[in-house]
Amino acid sequence: MDDPQHRAEPDEQAAAEERAEGKQLYGMGENLETTADNLRQMGWGDAAAPLEKTADVAYHAGFVDMQQSELLTDAAKHWRETADDLDQQSKASGSAFVAHATAEAAKDQLAHASSEAEKTQAATLSAAAAAGQTALEHRAVELGQEAQHDASTAIADEAKARGFGH
């Protein structure tokens, strides 16, 4: 998989471009509508009609651009969440390995313990480390699933943005 952070950046950039285009088209629509109103007030209603239709086209195109911008912004957000999930998954996996090593070391101490206190301490440490390992492994799996879901959602948002208005 590509680095999710690198996937987010072009989506954010494209979202900003679509948002700017949308605002520009809305402004164009307003200007055309104002000009059509002025022509109508001067008695040139026939000249105003095509401007009103063009204003509607500009408004619609602006709406499409704004919707694309929102979808791309959402996609970028999901890519960033994917990156965060993968980072946390990596940390949880690493911590699970450390917990496993701790549990194994405690088992070794238990095998070589000479007193009941040492045996109890080693058994407690081994059990706690094993429980921690299991919890961390489960969390790593959950984070991997969350990352997969976030990436799938980002891809779907990108596809919707590309197909919106077409």
Side-chain angles (χ1 to χ4, degrees):
M1 173 190 284
D2 294 333
D3 178 4
Q5 291 289 7
H6 289 107
R7 294 284 303 260
E9 292 164 6
D11 284 345
E12 288 172 337
Q13 189 174 37
E17 290 169 6
E18 292 294 340
R19 192 170 30 263
E21 288 174 16
K23 288 178 182 180
Q24 183 179 16
L25 288 165
Y26 277 133
M28 196 180 306
E30 288 175 359
N31 290 339
L32 289 166
E33 201 169 46
T34 300
T35 302
D37 287 343
N38 291 339
L39 288 172
R40 200 180 311 37
Q41 288 175 5
M42 293 188 297
W44 297 335
D46 290 345
L51 289 177
E52 288 175 333
K53 288 180 183 177
T54 304
D56 288 343
V57 170
Y59 283 135
H60 177 73
F63 172 77
V64 168
D65 283 345
M66 296 304 273
Q67 292 299 308
Q68 288 173 317
S69 174
E70 287 181 30
L71 287 165
L72 290 167
T73 298
D74 287 346
K77 178 188 79 139
H78 289 295
W79 283 124
R80 296 222 184 274
E81 289 172 356
T82 299
D84 184 57
D85 291 340
L86 292 173
D87 182 54
Q88 289 182 43
Q89 181 191 36
S90 175
K91 290 175 183 174
S93 294
S95 294
F97 286 123
V98 170
H100 174 74
T102 302
E104 290 301 312
K107 286 179 188 176
D108 190 45
Q109 284 178 348
L110 180 60
H112 297 94
S114 58
S115 70
E116 281 303 312
E118 288 176 348
K119 288 179 182 179
T120 301
Q121 184 180 11
T124 302
L125 179 59
S126 177
Q133 175 188 354
T134 300
L136 288 163
E137 287 171 345
H138 286 291
R139 184 64 183 141
V141 169
E142 289 172 358
L143 287 162
Q145 291 168 342
E146 288 175 22
Q148 187 174 24
H149 177 266
D150 289 337
S152 295
T153 303
I155 291 167
D157 287 344
E158 290 170 339
K160 287 179 202 172
R162 282 191 301 275
F164 197 86
H166 295 283

